[in-house]
Each structure stands twice: as C-alpha cells, then as structure tokens.
Amino acid sequence: MRVGFLGLGMMGTPMALNLSRKFPLTVWNRTAAKYGALNREGVSIGKSPAEVVEKSDVTFVMLFDGPAIDSIFTQDFRRALRGKTLINTSSVSVDFSTKLAQQVHDAGGEFIEMPVSGSKIPAEQGQLVGMMAGKPEIAERVRPFLEPITSAAVYCGPIGSGLKTKYAVNVYLITMTAGLAETMSLATAQGLNLDSVGQVLNAGPMASAYSKIKIAKLVNQDWSPQARIKDCFNVTQLIDSAAKEAGTQVPLLELCGTLYKQAKEAGIGDEDMIAVSRLRGSNESPSKS
C-alpha cells in the first residue's frame, strides 16, 4: 500500500520519515527547503498535493490550520480523492473538520480525523497518541498505517470527537506547562539554584517524561522548539471556541492563552512553548536575541 504526506513542518517531517521506513511514501510541502531529510531517505516528492493523493492509497495531512488545508483543495485535488483515504492530523476546529469530511465524501473518498498528542520528540520516536474519529470501519482499516507514528491510536467516536478529545487533553498540557514555567520564574526571582529546583521536581510525584524535558530546557535556557509558542496559542484559541460552544468555561486555559499571546507578540512565537517563562520573573528580555 502506498502512503502520501502533505506538510513537512516540525511534526510532519519526523512523521513522514517514520512512515517512509515501512511504506512507499510520496510527500509534498509548500517550500522545497523542507525536502532535505526526505530526499536522503529516497522518498518520492510530489509536484502538487493532488499528485501525492493520486500516487497514494492513504494520505496524511499535517498543515498549520484550516485555511492552509483549504488552499490545497483544488479541483485536481478533489478528483484525485476518489477511492482514496485522507487522514487529517492537523489541529483545526470541529466545524472545519466536519466540512472537510463532507468535501472528501463528496469527492468519493474516505476521511479520518486524527489530531495527535505529542511534540517533536515523540514524533521522532513514533510515539504520538492519535485521537481517531470518523467511521469505525475506516478507522480500523487504516490502523496499520498508524503504527510507525503512534504508540496508541484511540477511537473517540464520530467526526469532531477526536478534536474535542484533543482540546480537553490540551487544557491539562497547556496549563501544566504554564505552571511549570511560572515555578521556575519564581525560583529565578528568589535567587534559587534552578538545577536544584529541577532535581526536586524530577524526584517528586508529579514528574513525567514530559516535565523532565521541559525542566531541562528551563534550566539550560534552551528555547529551541519542540512545540512552538505560536502553535500553542493557536490551540488555546480553538479550545476557547470549543468551550464556548459547549457552554462551559476554561478560566485557566484563557489565562494561559493570554500569556501565549503576549509571548507571541513579544517576538518569541517560534520558540518552545516553555519559553513563556521569559515573560515573568526572568532577568532575560523576552525579545529574541
């Protein structure tokens, strides 16, 4: 079976590389500069998104947002979808995903919604968690294609359920990350040794593989992105909209969204999401060096 991949950003490139080690793969990206690692692996490069779909049985999409996906939905792309399966792993709104599923169906294809939980390192390790939504029989049919990129792929229900699950999970992730950043900001302001504070956190009951990675970045002031501030802010906006539609409130998430907006406006939107710590309690300017 042949696989396609559209979008070779921070997450897309490692996902595509892992898929290429098990399936014949054709990829496309808006800028050719991202093809380097894929070229070295002998992966086929598609001239257009439509060509990728034509050459593939299953195509993954990992683009920034809904408008980016809309931009590839040409007439040629629609024609290529007949008899094919499209798996969208991008973070979009439920309304957009519902519209996208209908467009794929109208074109004669099958659609699976599968946002993922995890950042650059889990993507490189093939350890993302997929949250699948759509027809259950199609979800089962595509499972073999998910094995190279996920440690688990959980079926969540009809279209929209995967994204809603990601929104809920990301409330925990984002608020936890902001809390960890604030912990280290307070420690810095109090003149504490950050390595010692990190050791205490790593030895405690709340320690996790994720927190240990972020603590190391804070201690070393390593702001290289695993999940960028601007992407995190985008997700906070999706969650806020979803909460309003559901008739509930997410006050902690709203506060975090404000912080990530400030960080983005301070010019550090391409840095790791833990770099939000630079806004408060740090001697370092939040402007990029």
Side-chain angles (χ1 to χ4, degrees):
M1 297 289 279
R2 304 163 303 165
V3 176
F5 204 99
L6 305 175
L8 301 175
M10 187 178 302
M11 297 288 289
T13 294
M15 291 169 71
L17 284 169
N18 285 328
L19 286 164
S20 74
R21 293 167 187 140
K22 189 166 182 179
F23 300 103
L25 184 69
T26 303
V27 302
W28 172 87
N29 190 68
R30 212 174 299 275
T31 55
K34 298 291 182 72
Y35 290 139
L38 282 303
N39 277 325
R40 289 190 289 273
E41 294 292 326
V43 171
S44 297
I45 306 300
K47 295 179 181 177
S48 67
E51 183 178 294
V52 171
V53 174
E54 286 171 359
K55 293 182 175 180
S56 308
D57 300 294
V58 174
T59 300
F60 290 85
V61 179
M62 178 55 101
L63 296 174
F64 180 68
D65 58 10
I69 297 173
D70 273 338
S71 72
I72 68 171
F73 237 83
T74 63
Q75 286 302 315
D76 287 343
F77 188 82
R78 293 172 193 271
R79 282 192 289 268
L81 283 169
R82 181 167 295 279
K84 306 299 179 69
T85 301
L86 195 72
I87 303 175
N88 182 38
T89 63
S90 317
S91 293
V92 295
S93 70
V94 170
D95 285 346
F96 182 86
S97 188
T98 302
K99 181 190 79 170
L100 182 60
Q102 187 62 51
Q103 288 176 319
V104 174
H105 175 76
D106 291 345
E110 298 288 355
F111 179 77
I112 289 293
E113 170 187 294
M114 195 191 76
V116 294
S117 181
S119 55
K120 183 180 178 183
I121 291 177
E124 291 172 343
Q125 296 171 340
Q127 296 292 301
L128 297 168
V129 177
M131 290 154 278
M132 304 171 73
K135 297 177 183 176
E137 64 274 17
I138 304 302
E140 287 305 312
R141 188 188 306 167
V142 302
R143 280 193 182 276
F145 300 99
L146 309 181
E147 291 176 2
I149 61 174
T150 63
S151 59
V154 180
Y155 180 72
C156 300
I159 296 298
S161 303
L163 285 161
K164 290 176 181 178
T165 302
K166 174 163 183 168
Y167 299 158
V169 169
N170 274 19
V171 170
Y172 175 48
L173 171 69
I174 291 169
T175 55
M176 175 179 66
T177 304
L180 185 58
E182 193 164 288
T183 293
M184 288 306 216
S185 292
L186 177 60
T188 299
Q190 294 180 123
L192 298 176
N193 182 302
L194 294 190
D195 186 61
S196 297
V197 175
Q199 289 182 50
V200 172
L201 290 169
N202 288 336
M206 295 178 292
S208 66
Y210 177 82
S211 69
K212 289 177 181 178
I213 289 170
K214 296 305 183 189
I215 288 167
K217 293 181 81 64
L218 285 161
V219 170
N220 296 316
Q221 294 195 356
D222 170 15
W223 314 125
S224 59
Q226 295 165 343
R228 296 175 300 186
I229 280 173
K230 66 182 182 182
D231 296 321
C232 182
F233 173 68
N234 183 51
V235 171
T236 67
Q237 300 310 288
L238 290 171
I239 296 170
D240 188 49
S241 295
K244 286 182 171 62
E245 185 173 339
T248 190
Q249 296 181 332
V250 281
L252 289 178
L253 189 282
E254 289 176 4
L255 179 57
C256 291
T258 299
L259 292 174
Y260 280 104
K261 181 180 180 182
Q262 290 174 1
K264 181 182 173 184
E265 291 173 348
I268 57 174
D270 285 319
E271 296 186 357
D272 191 81
M273 62 189 293
I274 198 66
V276 71
S277 66
R278 297 174 65 183
L279 293 178
R280 296 288 185 271
S282 172
N283 291 326
E284 183 182 358
S285 169
S287 62
K288 296 192 75 171
S289 58

